[in-house]
Amino acid sequence: MQSGIAAAETVGHNEDLLKQLLLRLPARSLIRFKCVSKLWLSLISSPKFCESHTLQNPIPKFSSATTDATTWFISLLPNPNLNFIPDPQGLMILQSCNGLLLCTSPADKFTISRQFKFYVVNPTTSRFSEIALPPPSPTKPEPARLLSVALAFDPSKSLHYKLVCVSGSSTVSVHREIEIEIYSSETRTWRACKSAHMRFPTIGEFLPGVYCNGRIHWFSRFCWLVHYDIDEGHYGVVGLPGHDFSVERECICFGESGGRLHLIEMYGNGIGLNKLHVLEMGKDYSGWFVKGKRGTESSYCAAHR
Amino acid sequence: MSTSTDNNASITQESGPSAAVQDIQKKIVVRTADGEVFNLKEEVAMEIDIIKTFFQEDSISYETVMPLPNVEGWEMVKVIEYCTKHVELKHKVDGYKERKAFQALFVQNLSTKSLLALTNTANYLEVKYLLDFLCQAVSEQIKNKDVDYVRELFGVENDFNDEEYEQVKAEAPWAHENLNNDLH
């Protein structure tokens, strides 16, 4: 239909109308359509457009799974690779948060220290930022140990992200002096928060965090968790109710899904870990509620939604 | 603006009982680019902002036939169809399922090119909810298509040279895989 063709061409060159169409496309299609023409490339790449698109398209949430300081995630993108980040040592993904990844390039899987570079990556746009941790304060009596670096990003609230860096005094107790520093991608600076004497769920190894509803959460293998409110600066500790040491339990996966914290645990009673249940943290950290159970052994599942 | 002298235009008032019926159902008349004339119920016509502005803000008499030189007859038919349904569903409490079923049928026999033409028309006529729906429908249809298809659909020329194109493509080669180029 002749008029159809003419009209289609009009849309193609009518920037406002084209933008309305493009805003409704998923990220993968948009990235592909950057190749259509120079106009389309400039439209799609413009920061204003990216902002509008992020606000209009809720990013699918996929949780970060953490067990014993090894982390993995299941991506909803087909075959993302991080080759665009030049780092000879290779990257390890620590955490994912609403579409952004926190990565580092450690010398080995188990040693993560302050000297390492941390990257915040957007695998969809292949853009990343390299962030160095603030050096330990010279006034501190003993060198602080890096306990965690966690990413906080909520596009529904702000297009800027924060990094939370937790250091603590070297000790064999989980109760110790904790120092928290927060990096803002908006100001590109770190600020130190008041240090506190508190429990932190690791004795020395690096623990990734999980962001949910304005707080960072750290989960201990002994099944209690600490949550820290980034804006207000206060923290809380939540224990697993009915924690019975006679029941063997192992946390398979701890993450965020649909705005709530979830925990997938395997447990058993002497014979082996052969039951699985999914727990959800109640509002106001009232406690874990069982959402579902499975009686048979099952494989790891990290993407729950 | 001269009053249409077409047989289709039945705007002149007649005396008698039928006049009462006609008064209730005020009609607005438009003429599209191909010379077709359409009688719209007032409530449907007022869904179309460009028409609403023409008659209400400028206080032009309903006897005037409004020209729509950028709209084809078939497009007007579809716009009227959608707006009529929209008005009908406005009065229903739970029209969600019905709306979805209607929308599916609405796009069923339209090619993507036609949908795109309609999008342009909805934009020109200023019917926001129709424009939103059509943009969504078009994006659904093109999201898994490749770059060549999109260029052809929109009549856009490739102004990249080979090197530039490869460079942009190399940023995310995975975005160009697993596509579906079935003709729509």
Side-chain angles (χ1 to χ4, degrees), chain B residues 15 24 32 36 41 48 51-52 57 59 69 89-90 97 101 113 116 118 124 129 138 151 162 165 181 183:
Chain B
S15 57
I24 295 168
T32 53
E36 258 195 80
K41 283 193 213 168
I48 302 169
I51 298 182
K52 184 170 167 183
E57 287 190 12
S59 300
L89 288 173
K90 259 194 217 177
K97 268 195 186 157
K113 272 219 154 106
L116 213 46
L118 263 183
Y124 167 73
Y129 54 79
V138 171
R151 283 194 192 126
D162 285 343
Y165 175 80
N181 280 322
L183 265 182

Side-chain angles (χ1 to χ4, degrees), chain A residues 212-272:
Chain A
C212 178
N213 287 333
R215 294 170 203 236
I216 299 281
H217 304 79
W218 294 277
F219 190 73
S220 146
R221 71 176 86 200
F222 296 107
C223 301
W224 49 278
L225 75 87
V226 168
H227 56 90
Y228 178 76
D229 187 318
I230 300 170
D231 294 323
E232 303 290 311
H234 51 240
Y235 74 97
V237 181
V238 183
L240 208 57
H243 190 77
D244 184 358
F245 284 98
S246 67
V247 177
E248 269 180 77
R249 348 160 68 108
E250 193 177 311
C251 168
I252 304 298
C253 162
F254 167 59
E256 177 272 336
S257 172
R260 289 282 175 88
L261 278 184
H262 288 82
L263 172 63
I264 299 179
E265 258 193 344
M266 287 196 77
Y267 63 101
N269 34 25
I271 311 163

Side-chain angles (χ1 to χ4, degrees), chain A residues 1 29 32 35-36 38, chain B residues 74 132 143 145 151 159 175:
Chain A
M1 188 175 309
S29 311
R32 187 186 326 132
C35 295
V36 168
K38 290 186 178 166
Chain B
W74 71 269
D132 285 344
K143 69 184 184 191
K145 300 285 195 263
R151 283 194 192 126
D159 53 357

Side-chain angles (χ1 to χ4, degrees), chain B residues 10-28 40-43 62-63:
Chain B
S10 49
I11 357 158
T12 47
Q13 290 203 21
E14 302 166 359
S15 57
S18 57
V21 175
Q22 283 210 349
D23 271 305
I24 295 168
Q25 292 275 27
K26 270 208 211 149
K27 299 271 186 166
I28 284 183
L40 286 77
K41 283 193 213 168
E42 185 185 16
E43 60 174 355
Y62 282 18
E63 289 186 2

Side-chain angles (χ1 to χ4, degrees), chain A residues 102 118 120 129-134 149-152 160-165 180-193 230:
Chain A
L102 177 64
F118 286 84
V120 174
S129 285
E130 194 186 305
I131 296 146
L133 295 185
V149 178
L151 172 63
H160 293 284
Y161 60 84
K162 295 207 167 114
L163 284 184
V164 177
C165 173
I180 295 186
E181 291 157 296
I182 300 186
Y183 173 88
S184 157
S185 69
E186 195 170 1
T187 61
R188 294 181 198 260
T189 56
W190 288 93
R191 71 174 164 94
C193 303
I230 300 170

Side-chain angles (χ1 to χ4, degrees), chain A residues 112 114 133 136-137 140-149 164-181 195-207 218:
Chain A
I112 297 178
R114 303 188 79 94
L133 295 185
S137 161
K140 292 280 168 190
E142 47 178 297
R145 205 188 171 103
L146 182 67
L147 297 176
S148 177
V149 178
V164 177
C165 173
V166 183
S167 325
S169 47
S170 297
T171 163
V172 289
S173 162
V174 289
H175 219 104
R176 75 231 281 171
E177 195 73 18
I178 295 285
E179 210 177 282
I180 295 186
E181 291 157 296
S195 65
H197 204 85
M198 65 190 242
R199 289 162 86 195
F200 196 79
T202 171
I203 295 188
E205 78 235 7
F206 185 90
L207 197 66
W218 294 277

